[in-house]
Amino acid sequence: MIEDREELFIRQNREAFDNESPPLDLWAKIERSLPADTAATHTAAVRKIFSFNAWQGIAAALALLVTGAVLFMVLQRGVKKTEVNPESQQLTLAEDFYQKQVNEKTAILAAYHPDPAVMEDLQQMDAVESELRAELAKAPTSSREEIIENLIQTYKNKLDILEKVLEKVQENDLSANKNLQNDTI
C-alpha cells in the first residue's frame, strides 16, 4: 500500500522531477577537477584512438578489398561444387550405400580373422576402384556414364565377394563349434 502511494505521488509530480538537466559544461568541469596529468593523458588517448591518416585509410580499404575478393572466390568454388550433374549424384548415392555395406561386412569378417589372401583380394579391388576414379576425373563427358557404371559394378562385386566369404567363414565356424560340442559329449 505504501508503494502504491509513492508510485501515485511520482506519477502526479513527474514534471517536477524532470525539470532539471545537467549543465552543458559539466564534462569540462569534471576534467578540470581531475589531476592535470590524468586529464591530459585521457585527452591524448582519445585523440590517438581517433587519429586516422591517409595511409591507414588506404590499408583498410585494401584489406577490405582483398577480403571481399577471397570471400567471393570461396563462395564461387562452393557454388561450383554444389552444381552436381545427375551422374555424379548417382555415383555419390551408390558409393555411400555400398561403402556402408562393405564397411559393415568387413568389420564382421575381421572378427573371424580371415585368410590374408582374402584381405589382399579386397585391397586389389580397392586399387581398381581408385583407378576407375582417376579415369573418371580425366574422362570426357561422353564416356563418364560407362565409367560410373563400372565403378558401381565394382562396388557390387566387392560386396558380393564379402558376403560369400562371410557366409563360408560363418559356416566353418558353426561346423567347428558343432564338432567341439560333439567331442565334449
Side-chain angles (χ1 to χ4, degrees), residues 75-139:
L75 289 176
Q76 283 298 94
R77 186 176 302 151
V79 168
K80 287 179 184 175
K81 285 183 180 178
T82 57
E83 295 172 2
V84 179
N85 59 21
E87 294 170 343
S88 296
Q89 285 181 327
Q90 176 190 9
L91 178 62
T92 302
L93 290 173
E95 282 179 325
D96 290 345
F97 173 78
Y98 286 112
Q99 197 59 47
K100 182 180 175 187
Q101 296 292 320
V102 165
N103 288 344
E104 287 175 6
K105 303 291 183 192
T106 304
I108 294 169
L109 183 62
Y112 288 100
H113 305 290
D115 184 2
V118 172
M119 300 312 284
E120 287 176 18
D121 290 343
L122 292 175
Q123 288 175 347
Q124 287 178 353
M125 292 186 87
D126 288 341
V128 169
E129 289 172 20
S130 295
E131 289 174 15
L132 285 171
R133 279 182 216 275
E135 190 176 324
L136 183 63
K138 298 175 189 175

Side-chain angles (χ1 to χ4, degrees), residues 28-74:
K29 288 180 182 177
I30 292 172
E31 280 187 337
R32 280 192 297 263
S33 68
L34 294 174
D37 61 335
T38 306
T41 305
H42 174 63
T43 306
V46 170
R47 284 189 186 131
K48 185 174 184 179
I49 290 172
F50 291 108
S51 70
F52 195 73
N53 64 32
W55 290 110
Q56 289 172 330
I58 293 170
L62 186 61
L64 187 62
L65 182 66
V66 169
T67 303
V70 168
L71 184 61
F72 177 76
M73 289 174 17
V74 167

Side-chain angles (χ1 to χ4, degrees), residues 130-180:
S130 295
E131 289 174 15
L132 285 171
R133 279 182 216 275
E135 190 176 324
L136 183 63
K138 298 175 189 175
T141 307
S142 60
S143 61
R144 289 178 57 87
E145 188 173 334
E146 183 181 347
I147 296 170
I148 289 173
E149 287 175 15
N150 289 338
L151 193 52
I152 291 172
Q153 189 59 47
T154 303
Y155 288 128
K156 287 179 182 178
N157 293 341
K158 186 175 183 179
L159 186 59
D160 287 342
I161 290 170
L162 271 169
E163 287 174 346
K164 288 176 183 174
V165 168
L166 256 177
E167 191 176 299
K168 281 290 186 189
V169 168
Q170 288 171 341
E171 284 176 10
N172 291 342
D173 190 48
L174 187 62
S175 296
N177 284 338
K178 282 184 182 179
N179 289 339
L180 186 62

